[in-house]
């Protein structure tokens, strides 16, 4: 039975016209990770608006592409829908799945039906790994393009669907009993299948949500690895699972039991390390208590051959049946998975340049914004110091270049010193002047400086959360080398989303500089020189910044509030937590030279660390449901001090309530706009259709709305 049976008919003009077979499909729990992927896989309303598939299921809300929600807890309603459906898919509630299967097994109907149970990989978790008896399998896997990057892979063979009789289940007895019934199903009108997936990932995550969340929002997090982490975990992207379900429906193979796993040999250690390196800071730790039971399984499943011939399996690059998204597995597609996590969780990044002249307050504003939005504050001195201490290729380049530049500056300064010394005679009794090179501070040339900034902007925290660039770039040439690629296009992954320009006159900046007269950088002659360089490059930079939106601020007292309003100009930015105003550490303008000098006392640093640690601890509370926002908008609704004593369950309820209020607030303008400007006329048009019963109701409605639009335009509305 085909999901979409198409027939082609030639018209008199020689054109082809498609006709579609409409299917009634029941999908359990349509709002879950698997359920929503199945809805997207089976919906065809985007290409067939005449008689699209009717998708019915249960859940909290009706997803896009689905037709109707039902109350699956009501056996009568569920039974009626199941018997009326052509395709029935269960993946979560196995009690209801058993009830539905028995209805189909013993019910009376003429048309063929398909029942699919998406099982649980834990049903194999108590079955010992299958020891390899000879080298035949190793040769076959090698021909199939598989890699054995762990020694213990050589000791075992993968389970296939034919190994089902040797499976041992010590729990999940009800699921085991249901599977046994499906396997022996002999009703001609009922095609029943069991699809056992690996660990399902992608599209915002479910099982891996906590690992992604921790790595995403906690800069110093160490992701947990249970035991030695060498247990084998089969995996599959949720969209690939949905595609395999679709192919099962379309091709109705003879085999009743099907594995849905990708081609990667994945271990728990490799899985967690991949997330840590590609989403977080790369740090992991070994623990004795597992965070998720499925992460402790140790089973090795072979990708299904149900839809493929032996030759196709041997050549792993050929797979004309299953349209894979992540065939090579999780590790090789981690960047794609990371972008999906950002998209499906509704996350946004704050990417800013704070631009302004000397003493304009750039560093202070950057510090406030970085603390409030929990984004990296990128300054030249700490950045270079980090690389100097880093044992990496770029770190070595920075150290070598700085030393070369310093040697050159010292040589030039020494030559000048010796020349001046010869011109002047030292009075009797006066000591000979001694050359002191300690005050010479080298600067990195732009060629290396741009590499440093690009490296920092490509780090996971900047990619996940965003950044605030403190007074860089300073010239048009630096801007072009940093943000423009060889093809002359903006580099999408690092380009800013806005620029805050602290706009003051030279006289105002000179007055501000006088407030720092104890700092040698703010001596009057140096300030005049730096302002001249700033004005020389300012107009060219501002002309480029226009494409990102510029917020010009001339009031230092309200600069922080104006900046927040600018950042949220297109809607609220969901953040982890803001730092209270009294906890923001005020810092002076940072120096532009390379040698770092501490601007914050050790007591202040401890205070900031304590505030950030408190934020990290509070961030761990949150639900896992699809659509939850990872970063909580605490700046919209603060948790009062009394709430710190609440239980974890009460905190979760409170956070859910805050999220509902936030989502309602964000959607209110759009709902009001539609209610005021669209719904009245659309309703009037539908009433007219009901009264007149036109032959082509869609064309009638389009003409009606066009006429209404012309009338309103004529009235100036």
């Amino acid at each position: 039975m085909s999901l979409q049976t198409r027939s082609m008919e030639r018209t008199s003009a020689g054109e082809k016209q498609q006709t579609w077979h409409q299917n009634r499909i029941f999908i359990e729990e349509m709002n879950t990770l698997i359920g929503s992927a199945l809805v997207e896989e089976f919906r065809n309303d985007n290409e067939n608006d005449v008689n699209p598939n009717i998708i019915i299921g249960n859940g909290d809300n009706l997803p896009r592409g689905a037709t109707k929600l039902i109350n699956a807890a009501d056996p009568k309603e569920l039974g009626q829908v199941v018997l009326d459906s052509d395709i029935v898919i269960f993946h979560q509630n196995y009690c209801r799945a058993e009830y539905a299967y028995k209805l189909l097994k013993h019910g009376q109907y003429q048309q063929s039906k398909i029942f699919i149970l998406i099982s649980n990989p834990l049903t194999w978790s108590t079955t010992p790994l299958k020891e390899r008896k000879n080298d035949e399998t190793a040769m076959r896997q090698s021909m199939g393009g598989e890699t054995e990057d762990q020694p213990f892979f050589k000791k075992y063979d993968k389970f296939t669907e034919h190994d089902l009789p040797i499976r041992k289940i010590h729990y999940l007895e009800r699921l085991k009993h249901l599977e046994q019934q499906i396997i022996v199903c002999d009703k001609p009108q009922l095609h029943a299948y069991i699809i056992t997936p690996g660990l399902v990932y992608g599209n915002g995550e479910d099982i891996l949500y906590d690992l992604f969340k921790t790595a995403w929002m906690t800069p110093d997090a160490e992701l947990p690895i249970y035991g030695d982490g060498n247990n084998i975990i089969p995996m599959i992207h949720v969209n690939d699972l949905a595609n395999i379900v679709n192919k099962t429906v379309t091709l109705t193979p003879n085999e009743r039991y099907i594995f849905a796993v990708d081609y990667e040999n994945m271990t728990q250690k490799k899985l967690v390390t991949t997330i840590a390196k590609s989403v977080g800071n790369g740090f992991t730790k070994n623990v004795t208590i597992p965070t998720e039971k499925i992460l402790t399984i140790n089973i090795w499943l072979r990708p299904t051959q149900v839809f493929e011939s032996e030759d196709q399996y041997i050549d792993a690059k050929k797979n004309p049946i299953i349209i894979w998204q992540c065939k090579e597995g999780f590790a090789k597609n981690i960047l794609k998975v990371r972008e999906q996590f950002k998209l499906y969780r509704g996350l946004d990044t704050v990417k800013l340049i704070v631009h302004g002249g000397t003493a304009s307050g750039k560093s202070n504003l950057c510090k406030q914004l970085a603390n409030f939005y929990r984004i990296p504050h990128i300054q030249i001195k700490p950045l270079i110091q980090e690389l100097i201490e880093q044992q990496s290729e770029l770190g070595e380049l920075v150290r070598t270049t700085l030393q070369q530049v310093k040697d050159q500056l010292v040589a030039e300064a020494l030559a000048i010193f010796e020349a001046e010394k010869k011109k002047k005679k030292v009075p009797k009794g006066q000591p000979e002047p001694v050359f002191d090179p300690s005050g010479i501070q080298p600067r990195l040339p732009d060629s290396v400086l741009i590499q440093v900034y690009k490296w920092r902007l490509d780090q996971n925290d900047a990619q996940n959360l965003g950044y605030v660039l403190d007074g860089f770039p300073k010239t048009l040439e630096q801007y072009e080398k940093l943000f423009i690629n060889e093809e002359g296009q903006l580099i999408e992954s690092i380009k800013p989303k806005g620029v805050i320009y602290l706009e003051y006159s030279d006289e105002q900046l000179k007055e501000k500089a006088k407030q720092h007269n104890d700092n040698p950088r703010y001596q009057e002659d140096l300030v005049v020189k730096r302002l001249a360089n700033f004005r020389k490059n300012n107009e060219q930079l501002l002309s480029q910044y226009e494409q990102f939106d510029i917020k010009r601020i001339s009031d230092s007292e309200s600069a922080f509030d104006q900046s927040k309003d600018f950042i949220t100009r297109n809607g609220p930015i969901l953040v982890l937590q803001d730092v209270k105003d009294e906890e923001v550490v005020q810092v002076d303008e940072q120096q532009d030279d390379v040698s770092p000098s501490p601007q914050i006392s050790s007591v202040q640093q401890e205070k900031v660390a304590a505030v950030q640690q408190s934020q990290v601890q509070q961030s761990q509370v949150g639900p896992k449901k699809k659509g939850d926002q990872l970063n909580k908008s605490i700046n919209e609704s603060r948790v009062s001090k009394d709430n710190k004593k609440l239980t974890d369950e009460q905190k979760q309820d409170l956070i859910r309530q805050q999220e509902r209020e936030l989502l309602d607030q964000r959607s209110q303008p759009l709902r009001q706009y539609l209610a005021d400007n669209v719904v009245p006329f659309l309703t009037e048009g539908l009433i007219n259709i009901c009264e007149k019963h036109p032959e082509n109701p869609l064309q009638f409605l389009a003409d009606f709305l066009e006429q209404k639009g012309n009338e309103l335009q004529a009235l100036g509305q």
Side-chain angles (χ1 to χ4, degrees), residues 134-364:
N134 51 54
D135 293 333
E136 179 183 350
T137 307
M139 180 182 67
R140 180 177 177 182
Q141 290 168 353
S142 176
M143 294 177 65
E146 300 173 8
T147 61
E148 295 178 347
D149 48 5
Q150 297 289 346
F152 50 83
F153 281 122
K154 299 178 181 179
K155 300 179 182 179
Y156 304 104
D157 278 338
K158 295 181 178 180
F159 287 118
T160 71
E161 290 91 341
H162 301 297
D163 292 318
L164 190 61
I166 68 173
R167 182 180 64 169
K168 298 178 181 179
I169 301 181
H170 299 324
Y171 55 97
L172 298 174
E173 288 295 330
R174 185 156 197 167
L175 177 57
K176 174 185 177 181
H177 179 66
L178 175 57
E179 288 186 357
Q180 290 172 341
Q181 295 181 68
I182 294 174
I183 290 172
V184 299
C185 177
D186 56 358
K187 186 169 185 174
Q189 295 92 344
L190 179 60
H191 300 277
Y193 298 95
I194 303 163
I195 298 178
T196 297
L199 187 155
V200 180
Y201 66 90
N203 292 7
E205 303 307 326
D206 181 12
I207 296 171
L208 300 180
Y209 172 83
D210 283 338
L211 289 174
F212 269 80
K213 173 185 173 183
T214 302
W216 195 278
M217 64 168 53
T218 312
D220 56 350
E222 295 179 327
L223 298 189
I225 297 175
Y226 174 68
D228 60 10
N230 288 330
N231 54 300
I232 306 171
I233 302 178
M235 300 184 70
I236 189 167
H237 192 285
V238 66
N239 292 342
D240 292 330
L241 171 60
N243 188 250
I244 289 176
V245 173
N246 190 343
K247 297 307 178 185
T248 303
V249 169
T250 305
L251 302 176
T252 57
N254 294 327
E255 291 82 354
R256 299 289 179 85
Y257 194 89
I258 300 171
F259 283 148
V261 296
D262 58 36
Y263 284 77
E264 183 174 24
N265 296 334
M266 177 62 75
T267 64
Q268 181 204 170
K269 183 177 181 179
K270 182 179 177 182
L271 168 62
V272 176
T273 303
T274 299
I275 298 175
K277 289 182 177 179
S278 302
V279 182
N281 54 25
F283 298 138
T284 61
K285 63 181 179 181
N286 292 91
V287 299
T288 56
I289 301 177
T291 55
E292 289 279 355
K293 185 172 181 60
I294 196 170
L295 294 178
T296 68
I297 62 176
N298 188 27
I299 54 175
W300 201 13
L301 307 180
R302 187 187 67 180
T304 185
Q305 296 183 23
V306 167
F307 310 116
E308 307 167 357
S309 68
E310 290 294 317
D311 292 338
Q312 289 170 335
Y313 180 78
I314 291 173
D315 186 355
K317 295 182 179 180
K318 293 182 179 180
N319 195 336
I321 303 299
I322 301 173
I323 305 173
W324 290 90
Q325 283 197 16
C326 298
K327 181 178 182 179
E328 302 84 1
F330 181 82
K332 291 187 178 180
N333 291 280
I334 182 60
L335 296 182
K336 179 193 297 185
V337 175
R338 186 180 71 178
E339 288 304 308
Q340 288 179 345
F341 183 74
K342 182 189 299 185
L343 175 65
Y344 278 79
R345 291 289 170 180
L347 303 175
D348 201 358
T349 53
V350 179
K351 297 182 177 180
L352 290 173
I353 295 175
V354 176
H355 177 66
T358 302
S360 59
K362 298 188 297 292
S363 292
N364 184 53

Side-chain angles (χ1 to χ4, degrees), residues 494-709:
I494 65 174
K495 73 176 184 180
K497 294 185 175 181
V499 177
I500 295 174
Y501 176 30
L502 301 179
E503 187 175 25
Y504 299 101
S505 67
D506 286 358
E507 293 304 318
Q508 289 175 310
L509 292 174
K510 290 176 183 178
E511 287 297 321
K512 288 177 177 289
K514 291 179 181 179
Q515 301 174 14
H516 307 281
N517 53 15
D518 56 335
N519 190 327
R521 292 184 66 252
Y522 293 106
Q523 294 178 3
E524 186 174 355
D525 56 338
L526 293 179
V527 170
V528 171
K529 182 179 179 180
R530 291 166 63 194
L531 284 177
N533 288 333
F534 172 74
R535 297 300 177 193
K536 177 182 177 181
N537 297 289
N538 190 41
E539 291 303 321
Q540 289 180 319
L541 273 176
L542 290 178
S543 66
Q544 293 296 324
Y545 288 163
E546 289 290 346
Q547 61 186 307
F548 305 121
D549 287 348
I550 300 179
K551 176 63 177 178
R552 299 172 184 263
I553 298 177
S554 304
D555 179 14
S556 58
E557 295 294 327
S558 63
F560 181 49
D561 291 333
Q562 289 189 57
S563 298
K564 289 192 296 182
D565 291 340
F566 171 68
I567 291 170
T568 58
R569 64 195 182 278
N570 295 323
I573 299 293
L574 302 179
V575 299
L576 174 62
Q577 185 178 4
D578 63 311
V579 178
K580 297 180 181 179
D581 296 338
E582 62 269 23
E583 294 173 332
V584 175
V585 179
Q586 301 293 325
V587 296
D588 294 333
E589 188 86 11
Q590 297 291 320
Q591 297 184 15
D592 294 332
D593 55 8
V594 170
S595 57
S597 60
Q599 299 291 327
I600 306 177
S601 68
S602 60
V603 176
Q604 290 173 321
Q605 289 175 344
E606 291 176 3
K607 183 177 180 181
V608 173
V611 172
Q612 293 177 343
Q613 180 63 27
S614 173
Q615 294 171 342
V616 170
Q617 291 172 352
Q618 293 186 27
S619 74
Q620 305 308 310
V621 181
K624 285 171 51 176
K625 290 182 65 177
K626 186 177 186 298
D628 290 346
Q629 302 298 342
L630 174 62
N631 294 331
K632 308 299 184 288
S633 183
I634 305 299
N635 55 306
E636 295 292 326
S637 52
R638 292 181 184 271
V639 177
S640 67
K641 293 182 179 180
D642 293 337
N643 289 333
K644 294 180 181 178
K645 300 179 181 179
L646 297 176
T647 65
D648 288 345
E649 183 177 355
Q650 290 171 324
K651 288 180 181 178
Q652 290 179 351
D653 291 340
L654 182 60
I655 290 174
R656 291 190 187 100
Q657 177 63 27
Q658 292 168 356
E659 289 177 339
R660 284 193 293 268
E661 292 174 356
L662 176 62
L663 291 173
D664 183 69
Q665 178 185 353
R666 294 181 66 184
S667 63
Q668 178 60 34
L670 178 59
R671 289 189 285 115
Q672 190 62 46
Y673 170 80
L674 294 174
D676 293 342
N677 300 284
V678 178
V679 173
F681 306 110
L682 188 59
T683 303
E684 186 178 352
L686 294 174
I687 292 173
N688 272 270
I689 290 176
C690 295
E691 292 175 348
K692 299 181 180 180
H693 298 284
E695 183 177 349
N696 190 334
L698 290 178
Q699 186 62 47
F700 179 88
L701 181 60
D703 294 341
F704 176 83
L705 293 175
E706 182 180 9
Q707 180 182 353
K708 275 293 180 183

